[in-house]
């Protein structure tokens, strides 16, 4: 029995105070606006600059970090894959996102993904053999690229003592958050989804993993507003890509692409654009690799919107909104936002993952486009689904939003922006099984089903459908069908 309860309480309190925060003082947060540039410690939980409201970056004092001499030295981390930190395709590059101490890292073995040469898809796009590559991020544990970012945000959330984490989602962020919560038991997952706006593969993940699932009457853009308000009000940790730590993890997709290309820089990275977290993270990855001196040139970035959710395309290609070292005017973007409000315009595409009209990372994405001499294109649902069928036929498949990258590469090739001898990497962001309803509707022989799921989206034909053959339960009919079909 202690002599004095006060001293016990004091000891506990003291221990809490002196327990070292498992974050690194070589890292800090900084407002992306050059006019503001305010800095904050990595221990603060922020999703916008408290001074001016702009987005935040995680930044590093590179000269205080022990970095491998060359980028290719990261290959040696493979030999240490019995350590969870080096097994992860994200944390294998820890020195390039060193905001947390090694012991603080939360990993479920994310980032074991593949870059595949895809000549069959390349032929469809119009590339010379050997020039088109697909980066399969659907191979992540929750089936999408989100795990790259979630391991980083989750690490930060846990280090800062969060007990609840939330996101708005078109499905993949929520599946990823729910998975990290259920595997680690470190936090409760609260997810906000637009009612009827999420594919079954993704919804089933969140439900199975046990997340508190809040369905809002509205779409992703509505859910995003509400989750921000709720997190603010209840002090819940927000893991959407406005969280700067999320994007740190997503940088590693680019590191793995370079690694798979033997550290050669491709000519193009083509990525679907939704909330614009990936494109922003990719731009930051190349900015930092150049700043460190690991690379001397960067690939061009092509961001592909769905035509029914093409705010970035409208702003960048038609209204000339530019970053201009952070000095570019956002007046046209603000005016467009008001127009969308006045017309009550809602995003609409079969690629539900990117059905977003108000991308939260717009300004970071404009910065990435400027740094990587980028272009933006939009593709319609017909083009997305045809490209998706080609990806499936030529490889391991992807969900509709991911195929926007291939459809976009084809468009840029048709326009002569990409040349057939360029080396092009399309990012396939999510797994084929995320949205079985769309895939089955594309291949179906049932016209009513096709019309119900796809016809209302303006999809008129399934040019590359692989239709099931219906046969009676009769051996000779079955044999006939096998011999004479296809
Ligand atoms: N592809 C897939 C499969 C996605 O799930 C998303 C975004 C994107 C592309 C767009 O990426 O936002 O970085 O531009 N999905 C989010 C979600 C919005 O809630 O799962 P981005």
């Amino acid at each position: 029995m202690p002599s004095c309860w006060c001293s016990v309480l004091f000891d506990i309190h003291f221990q809490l105070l002196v327990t070292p925060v498992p974050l690194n003082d070589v890292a800090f947060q900084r407002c992306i606006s050059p006019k503001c540039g305010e800095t904050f410690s990595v221990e603060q939980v922020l999703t916008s600059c408290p001074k001016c409201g702009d987005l935040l970056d995680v930044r590093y004092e590179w000269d205080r970090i022990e970095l491998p001499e060359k980028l290719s030295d990261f290959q040696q981390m493979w030999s240490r894959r019995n350590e969870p930190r080096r097994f992860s395709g994200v944390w294998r590059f820890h020195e390039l996102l060193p905001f947390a101490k090694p012991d603080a890292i939360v990993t479920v073995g994310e980032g074991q993904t593949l870059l595949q040469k895809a000549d069959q898809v390349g032929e469809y796009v119009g590339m010379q053999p050997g020039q088109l590559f697909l980066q399969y991020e659907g191979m992540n544990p929750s089936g999408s690229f989100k795990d790259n970012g979630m391991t980083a945000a989750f690490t930060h959330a846990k280090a800062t003592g969060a007990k609840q984490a939330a996101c708005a989602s078109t499905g993949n962020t929520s599946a990823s958050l729910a998975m990290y919560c259920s595997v680690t038991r470190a936090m409760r997952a609260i997810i906000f989804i637009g009612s009827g706006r999420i594919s079954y593969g993704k919804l089933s993940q969140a439900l199975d993993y046990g997340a508190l699932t809040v369905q809002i009457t509205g779409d992703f853009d509505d859910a995003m507003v509400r989750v921000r308000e709720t997190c603010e009000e209840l002090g819940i940790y927000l893991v959407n890509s406005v969280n700067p730590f999320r994007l740190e993890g997503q940088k590693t997709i680019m590191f793995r692409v370079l690694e798979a290309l033997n550290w050669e820089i491709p000519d193009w990275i083509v990525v679907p654009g939704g909330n614009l977290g990936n494109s922003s993270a990719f731009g930051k990855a190349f900015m930092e690799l150049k700043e460190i001196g690991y690379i001397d040139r960067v690939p061009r970035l092509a961001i592909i919107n769905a035509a029914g959710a093409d705010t970035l395309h409208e702003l960048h290609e038609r209204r000339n909104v530019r970053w201009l070292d952070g000095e570019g005017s956002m007046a046209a973007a603000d005016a467009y936002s008001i127009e969308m409000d006045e017309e009550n315009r809602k995003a609409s595409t079969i690629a539900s993952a990117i059905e977003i009209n108000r991308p939260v990372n717009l300004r970071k994405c404009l910065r990435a486009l400027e740094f990587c001499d980028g272009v933006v294109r939009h593709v319609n649902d017909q083009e997305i689904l045809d490209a998706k069928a080609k990806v499936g036929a030529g490889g391991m498949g992807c969900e509709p939003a991911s195929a926007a990258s291939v459809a976009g590469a084809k468009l840029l090739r048709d326009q002569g922006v990409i040349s057939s001898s360029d080396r092009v990497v399309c990012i396939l962001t999510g797994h084929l099984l995320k949205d079985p309803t769309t895939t089955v509707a594309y291949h179906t022989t049932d016209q009513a089903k096709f019309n119900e799921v796809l016809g209302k989206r303006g999809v008129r034909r399934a040019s590359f459908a692989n239709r099931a053959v219906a046969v009676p339960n009769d051996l000779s009919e079955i044999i006939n069908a096998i011999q004479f079909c296809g």
Side-chain angles (χ1 to χ4, degrees), residues 144-146 168-174 202 220 240-241 246 250 272-279 353-354 356 399 401-402 429-430:
S144 86
F145 76 91
K146 300 287 178 181
S169 186
T170 54
N172 281 326
T173 308
S174 52
K202 302 172 190 181
F220 173 84
N240 278 103
S241 54
R246 262 274 308 271
Q250 286 168 221
N275 228 359
L276 307 179
N278 252 348
S279 41
I354 51 174
I356 297 171
E399 66 166 285
S402 311
T429 44

Side-chain angles (χ1 to χ4, degrees), residues 115 127 131-134 254 257-258 261 264-271 282 286 297-304 317 369 372-377 405 408-409 412-413 415-427:
L115 184 80
M127 305 299 301
Q131 297 308 94
L132 186 91
F133 294 80
L134 301 176
M254 289 301 102
V257 165
L258 296 188
L261 292 175
E264 286 174 16
I265 311 290
D267 298 301
W268 288 93
I269 298 290
V270 190
V271 62
F282 296 174
F286 290 116
R297 78 176 187 97
V298 297
R300 294 188 69 186
L301 189 61
I303 305 175
I304 315 300
E317 301 295 321
L369 281 164
C372 296
D373 189 16
V375 296
V376 185
R377 291 292 182 273
S405 63
L412 287 163
R413 181 65 207 100
Q415 294 173 339
V417 179
I418 290 181
S419 100
S420 65
S421 58
D422 284 347
R423 204 183 226 194
V424 177
V425 176
C426 293
I427 311 299

Side-chain angles (χ1 to χ4, degrees), residues 437-474:
T437 314
T438 301
T439 307
V440 172
Y442 184 87
H443 293 288
T444 188
T445 50
D446 177 347
Q447 191 62 39
K449 189 87 208 155
F450 182 92
N451 291 343
E452 181 198 327
V453 181
L454 306 179
K456 66 174 187 214
R457 303 282 188 178
V459 179
R460 293 284 163 257
R461 53 186 190 281
S463 314
F464 309 111
N466 174 29
R467 301 211 162 82
V469 185
V471 281
N473 185 6
D474 175 280

Side-chain angles (χ1 to χ4, degrees), residues 270-322:
V270 190
V271 62
N275 228 359
L276 307 179
N278 252 348
S279 41
S280 300
F282 296 174
K284 186 170 188 281
F286 290 116
M287 282 174 218
E288 291 176 350
L289 293 183
K290 199 140 185 257
E291 188 189 339
I292 293 168
Y294 277 150
I295 58 173
D296 52 18
R297 78 176 187 97
V298 297
R300 294 188 69 186
L301 189 61
I303 305 175
I304 315 300
N305 276 160
D310 64 348
T311 298
L312 181 69
H313 178 261
E314 177 69 26
L315 297 181
H316 189 262
E317 301 295 321
R318 297 210 170 120
R319 305 196 183 196
N320 216 21
V321 176
R322 291 289 186 277

